[in-house]
Amino acid sequence: MTAFVIACAAMLAAALLWVTLPLLRPKNTEDAAQTRSERQASTVVIALFVPVIAAAMYAGLSNWDWKAAQVAADNQANVEQMLQQLQAKLKENPQDEKGWLLLGRSYAALERFAPAVDAYQHAYDLTKGEDVDALVGLGEALVMVDQKELSGRAGKLFEAALEKAPTNPKALWYASIAALQAGDLRLGRDRLQMLLAQEPPEELRGVLQRQIQDLSQQIGDGAEGAASGAPATAPPASPKPGEQRVIHASVSIDPKIQQQLREPIALFVLARDPSAGGPPLAVQRHVSTDAPLTLELSERDAMLPSRTIASVPRVQVVARLSRSGTPQAASGDFYGEADYDFSKDTGTLHIVIDRTVP
């Protein structure tokens, strides 16, 4: 905007010189007879009124929103001031890991990715690589600076984040791209399926579904590979009645927890392998107002076709009230859990949500 105003002022000055110079330099004797004061008066009138008229015409005919431009300038000034204040605080307390994370997010939001890398690196160092937000933020900033980082350090950061938070959406997205770039179509597709299982917005859901379908067609096999022979776009084949593993469970909320719920929040019921990490073997999403409820967890609820409740002898079933709306556990979430052994248990598993994630 400043450059535009300067350019307009320069053009207006040139136009004024072109108009007024003939008045100051008469070309014939008749003009020379005109008094100098008259010529000067005419020049002053033109020099004063032409800019005023030009400004008035521009203001009246232009569609430029001057108020919006001023608001944007004020907002930018406020953002810069807040960044300076945050930087000053971090200078006084360089061990504030949350402050470095906030600074990294702020720079990333402003698309200043180089300083975002520095801020996230401080957070990463302070948390010794244990904070998921620092891992994902640093990886994303590195990719925005140089996309080649996705096959280098950034890719490793996303993998480390998934080890700690298997359902982190950003880590899954970037890690799926990294897998596809490396030629591992099956891993890339599986990670996109995990994203799809988190019920993203409808417009993103459509994109993911199309991408998964295209990848499945390229792979040409089922989720288990050529040995399975099942179509990649279809869910795991259902065995004959009585052959498919099913967990019958009832979920209720402890009255003390129920009193703390001010509004409906997401309720996830998931089965996981207690002897190994990784994504859940099965997951369903409900709402807190659905409880108490009874449900069936089966192989159809798998996040990855290659890992279902049929692949392990026992599982741990967790019911979690998630404030963030994602299956990943976070501080302040409420949960209950119970073990289920397929060789022993056949009845309904009763789970009471009565604990809080520290």
Side-chain angles (χ1 to χ4, degrees):
M1 184 62 191
T2 302
F4 174 74
V5 173
I6 293 174
C8 289
M11 288 189 291
L12 183 57
L16 286 173
L17 286 174
W18 184 72
V19 172
T20 58
L21 279 178
L23 293 174
L24 298 175
R25 296 184 302 181
K27 295 182 179 180
N28 51 52
T29 56
E30 183 178 354
D31 289 339
Q34 188 180 16
T35 63
R36 178 178 296 276
S37 61
E38 290 175 341
R39 295 198 305 273
Q40 291 177 344
S42 298
T43 302
V44 170
V45 169
I46 293 174
L48 288 176
F49 282 95
V50 168
V52 173
I53 293 172
M57 290 179 64
Y58 185 82
L61 299 177
S62 171
N63 59 0
W64 178 263
D65 192 340
W66 295 95
K67 184 177 180 180
Q70 184 60 46
V71 170
D74 292 342
N75 289 339
Q76 182 64 28
N78 291 334
V79 169
E80 296 296 338
Q81 183 179 6
M82 288 188 290
L83 282 175
Q84 292 176 3
Q85 292 174 349
L86 181 55
Q87 289 169 339
K89 290 182 180 179
L90 289 172
K91 189 174 182 180
E92 295 176 359
N93 182 19
Q95 304 301 312
D96 183 2
E97 59 190 59
K98 292 184 178 180
W100 287 112
L101 283 173
L102 178 58
L103 184 62
R105 293 191 193 100
S106 301
Y107 278 133
L110 295 171
E111 298 185 357
R112 301 179 189 176
F113 298 110
V117 169
D118 294 336
Y120 278 124
Q121 183 65 55
H122 277 88
Y124 176 88
D125 293 339
L126 288 172
T127 59
K128 299 180 180 180
E130 295 297 324
D131 186 271
V132 174
D133 290 335
L135 288 166
V136 175
L138 179 56
E140 184 177 37
L142 285 169
V143 171
M144 292 302 176
V145 172
D146 184 358
Q147 292 187 3
K148 294 180 181 178
E149 287 286 347
L150 195 56
S151 59
R153 188 189 179 200
K156 295 178 181 178
L157 290 170
F158 294 129
E159 293 295 339
L162 288 177
E163 289 181 5
K164 301 178 183 302
T167 59
N168 184 278
K170 276 192 176 182
L172 279 173
W173 172 253
Y174 284 108
S176 69
I177 296 176
L180 294 175
Q181 288 184 353
D184 194 339
L185 302 187
R186 181 168 280 103
L187 178 59
R189 183 200 57 188
D190 286 350
R191 286 172 170 171
L192 292 178
Q193 287 176 323
M194 291 179 66
L195 267 178
L196 187 62
Q198 297 185 35
E199 298 191 2
E202 189 60 35
E203 57 274 14
L204 178 57
R205 185 177 182 84
V207 172
L208 290 173
Q209 287 174 330
R210 288 191 295 272
Q211 184 68 17
I212 291 169
Q213 183 177 8
D214 291 343
L215 288 170
S216 297
Q217 291 175 352
Q218 292 182 53
I219 294 170
D221 296 328
E224 294 291 340
S228 70
T233 55
S238 299
K240 297 178 181 180
E243 294 182 353
Q244 185 178 17
R245 280 188 173 177
V246 176
I247 301 173
H248 299 273
S250 69
V251 178
S252 60
I253 303 174
D254 185 275
K256 294 181 180 179
I257 301 295
Q258 186 73 59
Q259 292 175 0
Q260 301 181 49
L261 302 179
R262 305 303 179 195
E263 58 184 2
I265 62 175
L267 167 60
F268 289 95
V269 182
L270 53 92
R272 60 190 183 192
D273 184 355
S275 63
L281 304 174
V283 62
Q284 288 186 13
R285 188 182 191 278
H286 301 272
V287 183
S288 57
T289 50
D290 294 339
L293 77 158
T294 57
L295 53 89
E296 292 183 355
L297 280 176
S298 71
E299 297 168 47
R300 293 191 181 92
D301 298 309
M303 298 185 71
L304 295 177
S306 57
R307 297 186 75 242
T308 72
I309 59 175
S311 61
V312 294
R314 57 188 297 270
V315 295
Q316 184 180 58
V317 181
V318 181
R320 179 182 298 117
L321 291 170
S322 172
R323 296 184 183 276
S324 64
T326 63
Q328 178 185 349
S331 178
D333 287 350
F334 305 111
Y335 74 101
E337 60 187 23
D339 292 334
Y340 191 92
D341 190 327
F342 290 103
S343 65
K344 301 177 181 178
D345 299 319
T346 56
T348 300
L349 190 65
H350 299 280
I351 303 175
V352 179
I353 299 176
D354 56 0
R355 282 170 277 182
T356 305
V357 178

